Amino acid sequence: MKRMISIISLLLAFAITSSAKKTDGSKLSTWLRQAVAEQHIRHRAAAEEGEPQKDPLTTVFIRTSEQLTTEQLLEYGATIYAQLGDVTIITVPLSKIPELIELSTVLRIEAGQRASLTLDTVSKVNNILPVYQKTQEHQAFTGQGVVVGVMDVGFDLTHPTFYQDTTLTQYRIKTFWDQLATSEDVSRLPVGREFTTTESIIAQGCATDGDSQAHGTHTLGIATGSGYNTPYRGVAYESDICIVANAVGSDQPYIAEGDYYLYTSATDALGLKYLFDYAEQQGQPCVVSLSEGYSPYMDEDDQLYNDFLERLIGPGRILVVSAGNESHALTYVEKPTGMEAAGAFVKCSKQDATYRIKSEGSNTLTLYAYSGEQGTPSHQLTISLDDPRLEEEDLKEQLIVEKDTFDITIIAYDIAFDMSSNICLMQLHGNHPFNEMTPVALVLGGQESHAELIGSSSNALENRDTDTRWCHAQNDHNILGPGCFTAPICVGAMTHRKGFTNHEGNWVANAYSHEEEGLWSPFSSMGPTMDGRTKPDVSAAGRNIISSYNSYYYEANPDKSHNMDVAYSEVNERSYPWRSDSGTSMACPVVAGTIALWLQAKPDLTRDDIIGIFSRTCRQPEAELNYPNNKYGYGEIDAYRGLLDILGITAIKEISQHEPHDASLWADNGLLHIVFNDVPAKPVAITIYTTGGARVFQTNVAGSQQHITLPLPTLGKGIYVVQLGNSGSTLIRI
């Protein structure tokens, strides 16, 4: 078995088992191996200094060949928090990890890094019941009876948009797990504290990180906000709300040093389970929105996370995750079999950069430095990626170019679920930030085999005229985890608004110059995934989306710019902002809110059902492309066409597949109200159909009034379709 980086030697030293027995490091994910090694180093340093030796807990996924018992885990200081089949989430002392992987019944233990936020018009472009324009309530589907769960950061729990209406009498956040809150009780939840009453939630004011984060207030408002007294109403504005405030990378100041390893991808998985569990307790369908992500090691390192999520979803349990905003950077190079070499230049503003190389045969990595004539490297260093030394130790090399020094470390490790490929972790260290140093190209070689070079938005690549041979960097293969997994519905972003008018009446242009309205947002991450699957699954509006914002964030940061604010609502002597933001973070709750409407119509929808709806009803922005594709997925979500598809009434040829573009319709107390944007110039036909296609009412109204009220015929309770001339159709509930 290939040596699992030099950390294994640390594991051996750390394990209490016989030193003659090799620890099976292939059972551990990369991040967890590093965490164990780092803690061992700290432990040893503390011992040498005579300081107290702490043994922190970590939250991990563990797969076993037989179900672990509480008694067995207690021997290792572990606590079980969730079990789905053979995948269990536990907390366990880091020092016990090497002992656990020695057990023959333990097949795999994984944990990953905390995620980051995927932050970088909706109602008309996504054909959603009015979201950003003030109209009467839509009568058929508003998310009522459905739980919308959101896991995010920076929640303002008092924002008026999370009440049912302007009377502020019906609060809609039903339960809240703040993973950063302090608590003495870890019997039910490994970190944080749970709030289950309206009084206790509102008394918190905001999430623990609410003084430095605001992201969750915005995304939750998009999915569920009532809009209070503004046009900025969310999609499923009568749904029940359940939220988890988790920890992202920027939340480090809120985490005690000894608790650092408790906040992992496994903790996030527990947060998602918490949301679904609440809905199950209430007997309601649930859609969960997660606008966060991280660069997966190679997908395979997150197998247990993926499998846990696969078991978490099901009929009426839908998970929606943002794709990421990585496409503004070039992060991927592929060298196919038969191609002699492919490469690109390092683009990084820091002194340290990390890349991964996936190699399926005998390949080389060459660093070319250019300090002289363009197109001709002045220095080069070639490393064989199957160098025998990598079996035993990290490979360290150095490239010196005049006053610039590049230190290169190559770390090899196996992919636990793909033995046909090898992975090398390449760490570069410069004596200056790389963008101030001699240009260096990273070039994969080996004509007879396939290889890939993968970076990230902060460890990017670029194509330069310095040497046009190495211009193979692409802006795909950058879908973040867990959006790249098989369980979630992964959401990309579309642009429909290139700017907005802020609260001062100034136009704020906020888009790339080459960005086109009605098409893919250039920041939105693109597939395929590292294992070749098409992602994202669907797209939605994500540029310049207006929603609620965190008042506590502004209170704690009075010097922050308000240029992106659009309006304010003054409630109980407090000013609540409404702000524009962009990113797949914004597109994700649009899709989640839409699915909540669909779940109201059919509570047992599965992920596969929804993918089928996408395939039949999504708008395809670029007709020349095949769908699904790695840019749009199945296309741009169409909420209304999706509802018609679910209700089985797309076969009614007489109805439009979109809502009226020039009027609002609603039913109330036996009356049908129609409010036209402008007084119609001629009579308008009004026809009502049952969902089975039977016509039950038809009349013409004169074109002389802007607001028309008609008595409805005597109809049984249910959903009906109203067709307004050629303008469009809408659904009413009677």
Side-chain angles (χ1 to χ4, degrees), residues 296-560:
Y297 283 99
M298 276 296 171
D299 284 3
E300 297 89 344
D301 235 16
D302 297 301
Q303 189 67 43
L304 299 191
Y305 193 0
N306 179 79
D307 290 355
F308 188 87
L309 296 184
E310 278 286 355
R311 294 163 189 182
L312 201 54
I313 64 171
R317 297 162 67 97
I318 309 298
L319 175 60
V320 183
V321 179
S322 55
N325 303 331
E326 300 292 291
S327 286
H328 66 279
L330 304 177
T331 59
Y332 179 77
V333 169
E334 181 181 21
K335 190 209 71 60
T337 301
M339 185 177 184
E340 184 175 346
F345 287 82
V346 173
K347 183 180 182 182
C348 183
S349 61
K350 302 173 295 184
Q351 287 182 246
D352 294 282
T354 301
Y355 300 89
R356 288 178 174 82
I357 303 168
K358 187 175 182 180
S359 173
E360 296 177 3
S362 180
N363 290 287
T364 60
L365 171 69
T366 301
L367 282 74
Y368 290 112
Y370 296 79
S371 61
E373 183 180 348
Q374 185 167 319
T376 303
S378 58
H379 300 73
Q380 73 179 66
L381 171 66
T382 298
I383 300 170
S384 173
L385 297 177
D386 56 1
D387 189 315
R389 289 177 293 171
L390 283 170
E391 297 284 344
E392 304 299 330
E393 60 185 3
D394 298 346
L395 189 59
K396 297 182 180 295
E397 300 285 355
Q398 190 175 72
L399 180 65
I400 299 176
V401 185
E402 298 173 353
K403 295 183 179 180
D404 293 334
T405 301
F406 300 86
D407 294 313
I408 306 103
T409 302
I410 304 292
I411 304 169
Y413 59 94
D414 294 334
I415 301 179
F417 302 94
D418 179 9
M419 300 309 293
S420 65
S421 300
N422 297 324
I423 294 294
C424 287
L425 186 72
M426 178 180 60
Q427 298 171 332
L428 297 179
H429 175 76
N431 57 337
H432 302 290
F434 288 106
N435 58 8
E436 301 174 9
M437 299 177 71
T438 302
V440 168
L442 306 177
V443 179
L444 300 172
Q447 188 164 355
E448 302 303 318
S449 57
H450 180 267
E452 299 164 89
L453 175 67
I454 304 103
S456 64
S457 57
S458 57
N459 299 280
L461 301 163
E462 65 178 332
N463 301 319
R464 299 174 58 131
D465 292 338
T466 305
D467 193 333
T468 55
R469 293 178 298 167
W470 318 130
C471 291
H472 300 102
Q474 305 166 209
N475 64 342
D476 52 23
H477 288 75
N478 53 29
I479 301 287
L480 297 180
C484 64
F485 296 176
T486 57
I489 289 170
C490 180
V491 182
M494 303 276 296
T495 295
H496 289 281
R497 183 189 291 158
K498 298 183 73 171
F500 60 94
T501 301
N502 71 7
H503 67 107
E504 295 178 332
N506 299 322
W507 176 256
V508 179
N510 185 38
Y512 296 114
S513 59
H514 60 282
E515 209 161 335
E516 296 184 51
E517 293 182 351
L519 296 179
W520 171 76
S521 298
F523 55 77
S524 185
S525 288
M526 295 175 61
T529 62
M530 290 304 173
D531 57 353
R533 289 175 294 107
T534 300
K535 286 281 182 175
D537 298 302
V538 71
S539 298
R543 171 64 89 182
N544 296 316
I545 306 302
I546 301 168
S547 181
S548 47
Y549 208 63
N550 183 359
S551 65
Y552 291 87
Y553 172 79
Y554 278 148
E555 187 175 66
N557 301 274
D559 296 331
K560 289 290 184 180

Side-chain angles (χ1 to χ4, degrees), residues 195-311:
F195 303 86
T196 59
T197 66
T198 295
E199 294 73 21
S200 64
I201 296 171
I202 294 176
Q204 287 299 106
C206 63
T208 297
D209 60 4
D211 58 354
S212 64
Q213 307 275 12
H215 191 258
T217 308
H218 200 270
T219 59
L220 183 60
I222 293 171
T224 69
S226 68
Y228 187 58
N229 61 349
T230 74
Y232 313 121
R233 189 170 67 190
V235 183
Y237 57 89
E238 287 193 329
S239 60
D240 290 336
I241 302 171
C242 180
I243 56 177
V244 172
N246 69 333
V248 296
S250 52
D251 276 328
Q252 184 62 38
Y254 300 96
I255 300 173
E257 182 179 353
D259 294 339
Y260 177 84
Y261 295 108
L262 279 171
Y263 294 89
T264 68
S265 55
T267 320
D268 287 344
L270 285 175
L272 300 174
K273 183 177 184 295
Y274 177 89
L275 299 170
F276 284 121
D277 284 353
Y278 170 79
E280 184 175 1
Q281 292 161 10
Q282 305 305 311
Q284 295 174 278
C286 179
V287 57
V288 170
S289 178
L290 176 65
S291 292
E292 298 174 5
Y294 62 94
S295 296
Y297 283 99
M298 276 296 171
D299 284 3
E300 297 89 344
D301 235 16
D302 297 301
Q303 189 67 43
L304 299 191
Y305 193 0
N306 179 79
D307 290 355
F308 188 87
L309 296 184
E310 278 286 355
R311 294 163 189 182

Side-chain angles (χ1 to χ4, degrees), residues 11-60:
L11 286 171
L12 284 167
F14 198 25
I16 63 172
T17 54
S18 170
S19 61
K21 184 178 180 181
K22 186 173 182 179
T23 302
D24 190 359
S26 64
K27 291 183 178 181
L28 298 181
S29 64
T30 307
W31 183 91
L32 190 54
R33 287 196 302 272
Q34 293 171 338
V36 171
E38 289 167 1
Q39 179 56 27
H40 173 68
I41 293 170
R42 293 191 188 98
H43 187 88
R44 187 172 57 187
E48 292 174 354
E49 295 294 327
E51 298 176 356
Q53 300 174 23
K54 298 178 181 178
D55 192 2
L57 295 172
T58 185
T59 310
V60 300

